[in-house]
Each structure stands twice: as structure tokens, then as C-alpha cells.
Amino acid sequence: MTTTLPQDAGRRPRFTVKQWWALAVLVLPVLLISIDMTVLGFAVPFLSEDLEPTSSQLLWIVDVYGFTLAGLLVTMGTIGDRVGRRKLLVIGSAAFAAASVIAAYATSAEMLIAARAFLGLAGATLMPTTLALMRNLFTDGRQRKFAIAIWASGFSAGSAAGPIVGGWLLEHFWWGSVFLMAAPVSIAVMIAAPLLLPESKDPKPGPLDLLSVTMSFLAMFPFVYGVKTIAEKGLSWTAAAAIGFGIAMAVLFVRRQRHLEHPLLDLNLFGIRRFSASLATNFTIVFAMISSLFLLTQYLQLVLGYSPMQAGLLLLPEMAVSVVAGLVAVRLSERIGMARTIVGGLVFVITGFAAMALVGVDEGALVVVGASVLIGTGAGLAQTVTNDAILAAAPADRAGSASAISETAYELGGAMGVALLGSLATGIYRSELGNAPAGASETLGEAVHVAATLPAEAGEALLTAARTAFTHGLQTVALIAAGLILISTVAVGRALRGRPKA
């Protein structure tokens, strides 16, 4: 229920010293996750040269983390409600530190994929616990909204710090160093959480349905496998069967949740218009943003020739304006209403993706900066409001489950974006580079490596063709992303029409 605001509601809400420290601890895991997701894109050219992954393996390296995390978020949110959210946060932080070290010293593509899956498992314990603990720490509506704005800004701050720190590490050390950054942050959370955060859990938890956990995985992974197989080898009966099996399991999973007394996924929350509309908005934004970031980091380095540090600096303005927009969104939503703030933010995002389609092979850095600033502004405005709406809709004893659903939308959106739009871009690249030397049509990084072994004229011709094909893929993905956000804008505008302002 939304708290009625006093007359001085326009002022910044006051936190106690303990609340500020507790909020800082809850933001650290957010920084951890966002840094880990951002720096990987900059490391792709380096690990591609060292580990020589296939195009399919490269996509798995990038998104197996997100899919594993998304597949376990609801489960971990439910476990946190039962065993204690603070306890799960500490355990997850320890696991994340260990997984980061394993990923840093991976010696093959297969080992890195496994380490990234382990990171996803550990990460699944972090996100729903932080948001659920915030629900219990800040019971006042305005306090909670402002705290969530700061918490959400942690995503942008981590995304901003990731490219800069990661770029510096990649210029001075090996690619595995970008994973080691997460270890000290994880250790800090392990130490501080028991000292600063109160424990909270569901006083009357039901049993954990392991069959539902299994069904959720059987719904997700066959579907992803089918999509990736089609992207790499074209349509086949095996890929079609995998996708069909995943969809069938998803239907059975939903039906089972409807009949369980204590479901793994509380479907009643989706009946709340504010909850479901906000959830769909977050999914679509992240779906588009993460897939474009995956391509942009390679575009800036391998097409335009910027160093990792330079590429990170070019994307820094997007992260900075996203932080500012998130804080502005708190007061803006109180003045013009939640629906108008969300729709206005989405219009910025649409404009940004439309502009991104104008990038070229020889130049495009300024276009990337301008487009990403528009996207960051819109995402900061929209997602701050939607996050608060999702959390406020849930009862306190189901905070972990609601937070897990919200984070599942984030992580599944990002992973699906890389899998679907990333696969589309890969398909365009491979189609246009079909007659290239062996290996060059797998990834742009491999094409650069192959070109260096050819005579000067042949190598330059291959580089030009590869960069052109990759740019065409990025342009196509940008236009599709703009169209998807446009559809989401119309849908959320209708769903929230006439809703209360706060």
C-alpha cells in the first residue's frame, strides 16, 4: 500500500546513520553484478584470441551467467524467505568470490562457460536478497522509493566503473583480471552484512517444491539451446524440438504453480496491473540494452579501433546520466505520475536506439555517445519507478519472491537479449561473410586474428568485409530494439492509464 505523503514530501527523506550504512551494504552486490556483466563485453576480443571459442561458445560465455542466474532467482528468493535473506546474502557472496577466481584462471572456453554458470548460481542469491531486505528496512513509502533510486543507481555506477577499471586492467594485465575485481567486493559484503543488516524471513514458510525448480530449468535451457543452434547452424528438427519442449515445460510449470498451496512462483502478483506492467517494461528495456552493449563494446574496439579504456570512456556518459535520471525520477513521478514518467523515459530509449542505427564502419563514436546518453536517461527514469512499483505491490512476507520475480525479469531479459538479438547479429555477420577463410566467419575477433596472418591486401579486404558485416548486424539490432520498446511503451501506457500518481 502506498504511504500518504506529508506536506514536505518534496524534500529528500531523512535516513538514520544505520540506514545509510545498511543501504551501502545492499548496493555493493548490485555493483558486483553490474561490473561483472559490463566488463565481459570488453574482454571478449582478448579471450576470443586466447581461448578461441566458436561463435556459439562465445554467446554461451556471455549469457550462461544470465540464464543460470535467471533460472535460479525465483528459487533463491523463496529460499531466502525461508532460511533468512541476510544469511543467504553472506553465503552467496562467498560463492561469488570463489567463482570469480575460477573464471579468471580458466584455460579453455568450456572451463570459462562452467565458471560463468557457477557465477550465475552465486549471483542468484544476491539480487533478490538485497531488494527484499530493502523492503523491510524502509517501510515508509517515500524513503523506500528514494532508497530504491540509489540502489538502482548502483547498476549504472557499476556499469560505469566496469568499463573504466576493466579497460585499465585489460591494457595492463590479462583478460582474467576483469573477473578478479569481484572478489574484494564479495568479501566486503561477507564481512559487513552480519554487522549492519537485520535478518528477515517469512515467519510461516511453506515447503520448497523441488519439482517446480526442475521444471523451471527444463523450460529455459532447451529453449535457449534451440535458439542458439538455429543461429549457428540454421533451422533443424533438433532445434525446433528443443524450443517446443521448453515451451511445453513452461506451460506445465505455470499450471503446477496454480495448484500448489505454496507455489515457487506466486502467480497472483501478475494479476496486479502495476506489478505486471512494470515487470514487462523492465524486461523489454534490459532485453534491448544488454544485447546492444554486447555488440557496442566489440564495435568500438574491433570496428572503430578504440582501446578498451577509450571504449569505456565513450560509454561513461550513458552510465552517468542514468544515475542522475534515476534520482530525478523520484520527484518527477510524484509531480506528473508514475505512468507519465515511465512512458516519457521509454520515449528517450526509443529515440536512442533509432539513432544508434546510424552508426557506420568508418565513424560512429559520436553517434554511439549521443544514442547511449538518450538510452541511459530513459532507462534511469523508467526503471526507478517500475522497481518501486514492483516492490510496493508485494506483501512484506513475500518480499523475497517478489524481488526474485523482478530480478528474473532483469536477468532473463539481458540473457534473452544476447541470445536472440546477439544470435541475429551473428547470423547476419556469418551470412555476409560466408566465403571468408576458415574461422573468420565465426566472430569478428577471430576475423581480426585471421586477417593478421594473410598478405596485406587480402587481410585488409577481409577486415573491411568483416567490419561491414558486423556493423550491419548492430544496425539491425538497434532498429529491432527501438521497435520492441515502442510496443512496450504503448502497452504500459494502456495498462497504467488512469492509475494513481504515486
Side-chain angles (χ1 to χ4, degrees):
M1 180 179 296
T2 304
T3 303
T4 302
L5 300 175
Q7 291 182 352
D8 62 345
R11 301 176 185 176
R12 177 186 296 179
R14 294 182 178 180
F15 292 175
T16 65
V17 174
K18 184 177 180 181
Q19 284 178 317
W20 276 117
W21 281 108
L23 180 59
V25 174
L26 294 177
V27 170
L28 280 178
V30 174
L31 288 169
L32 186 69
I33 298 294
S34 58
I35 287 174
D36 186 77
M37 292 182 69
T38 306
V39 298
L40 182 61
F42 289 86
V44 163
F46 297 87
L47 65 87
S48 293
E49 182 176 352
D50 188 15
L51 302 181
E52 298 182 352
T54 65
S55 59
S56 178
Q57 286 177 328
L58 184 59
L59 286 175
W60 273 115
I61 289 171
V62 173
D63 60 27
V64 71
Y65 166 82
F67 279 113
T68 305
L69 196 156
L72 286 171
L73 274 170
V74 173
T75 300
M76 292 302 176
T78 303
I79 291 176
D81 286 340
R82 287 162 169 75
V83 306
R85 292 144 191 162
R86 186 184 68 184
K87 181 185 296 183
L88 190 62
L89 178 63
V90 173
I91 294 172
S93 298
F96 205 97
S100 298
V101 174
I102 295 173
Y105 292 99
T107 56
S108 67
E110 293 82 2
M111 182 177 176
L112 184 54
I113 291 172
R116 291 280 293 169
F118 185 22
L119 278 169
L121 170 64
T125 67
L126 303 181
M127 300 311 298
T129 52
T130 58
L131 198 54
L133 285 166
M134 192 173 300
R135 171 69 173 81
N136 289 275
L137 277 170
F138 304 101
T139 55
D140 176 76
R142 179 162 172 77
Q143 269 195 339
R144 185 183 64 249
K145 186 178 292 186
F146 191 81
I148 289 176
I150 296 176
W151 177 86
S153 297
F155 279 102
S156 298
S159 299
I164 303 302
V165 178
W168 183 85
L169 288 172
L170 289 169
E171 291 183 3
H172 293 83
F173 304 99
W174 90 115
W175 58 264
S177 62
V178 301
F179 292 108
L180 287 180
M181 288 192 302
V185 181
S186 300
I187 294 171
V189 174
M190 287 173 53
I191 297 173
L195 300 175
L196 296 170
L197 298 176
E199 184 60 282
S200 68
K201 58 183 178 180
D202 187 346
K204 297 180 180 179
L208 179 64
D209 184 43
L210 295 179
L211 180 57
S212 293
V213 175
T214 304
M215 292 175 70
S216 67
F217 269 93
L218 291 177
M220 183 180 304
F221 280 89
F223 179 83
V224 178
Y225 169 79
V227 171
K228 289 181 176 296
T229 301
I230 292 174
E232 183 178 11
K233 301 178 180 178
L235 184 61
S236 67
W237 285 108
T238 302
I243 292 174
F245 179 80
I247 294 174
M249 289 304 302
V251 173
L252 292 175
F253 172 80
V254 170
R255 289 183 177 179
R256 180 169 178 80
Q257 303 315 297
R258 293 185 185 278
H259 293 91
L260 288 176
E261 182 180 357
H262 301 285
L264 181 68
L265 184 63
D266 188 356
L267 298 178
N268 291 327
L269 290 172
F270 292 92
I272 305 172
R273 288 173 61 190
R274 178 177 294 196
F275 181 92
S276 56
S278 298
L279 198 69
T281 300
N282 282 353
F283 176 89
T284 309
I285 291 175
V286 176
F287 180 92
M289 287 183 65
I290 297 300
S291 61
S292 65
L293 183 62
F294 169 68
L295 298 173
L296 276 178
T297 52
Q298 297 180 71
Y299 169 78
L300 291 173
Q301 293 176 80
L302 300 178
V303 176
L304 298 187
Y306 289 99
S307 69
M309 176 70 80
Q310 291 170 330
L313 289 173
L314 287 172
L315 295 177
L316 181 61
E318 174 187 4
M319 313 309 175
V321 297
S322 181
V323 172
V324 175
L327 297 176
V328 170
V330 176
R331 296 189 64 180
L332 187 62
S333 66
E334 292 170 353
R335 294 194 175 207
I336 68 174
M338 179 180 70
R340 290 180 180 176
T341 304
I342 294 173
V343 170
L346 292 177
V347 170
F348 274 101
V349 178
I350 293 169
T351 306
F353 277 114
M356 191 181 295
L358 301 176
V359 296
V361 178
D362 299 318
E363 57 182 17
L366 292 179
V367 174
V368 169
V369 173
S372 60
V373 164
L374 289 170
I375 294 170
T377 301
L381 289 173
Q383 290 183 319
T384 297
V385 181
T386 54
N387 281 326
D388 179 67
I390 289 169
L391 200 57
D397 61 350
R398 298 291 290 169
S401 297
S403 302
I405 295 172
S406 174
E407 296 308 324
T408 299
Y410 267 104
E411 300 302 333
L412 187 57
M416 288 293 288
V418 173
L420 296 179
L421 296 186
S423 295
L424 174 63
T426 298
I428 293 173
Y429 175 83
R430 296 188 66 182
S431 175
E432 295 191 15
L433 222 62
N435 297 323
S441 61
E442 287 289 330
T443 65
L444 179 57
E446 189 63 23
V448 173
H449 179 69
V450 171
T453 66
L454 299 176
E457 186 175 343
E460 186 62 31
L462 174 60
L463 280 178
T464 300
R467 288 168 175 164
T468 301
F470 188 89
T471 302
H472 288 166
L474 173 59
Q475 292 169 340
T476 302
V477 165
L479 288 175
I480 292 175
L484 292 174
I485 300 296
L486 177 60
I487 294 172
S488 179
T489 303
V490 174
V492 75
R494 291 181 176 178
L496 299 179
R497 184 182 300 165
R499 306 304 294 172
K501 285 188 176 184

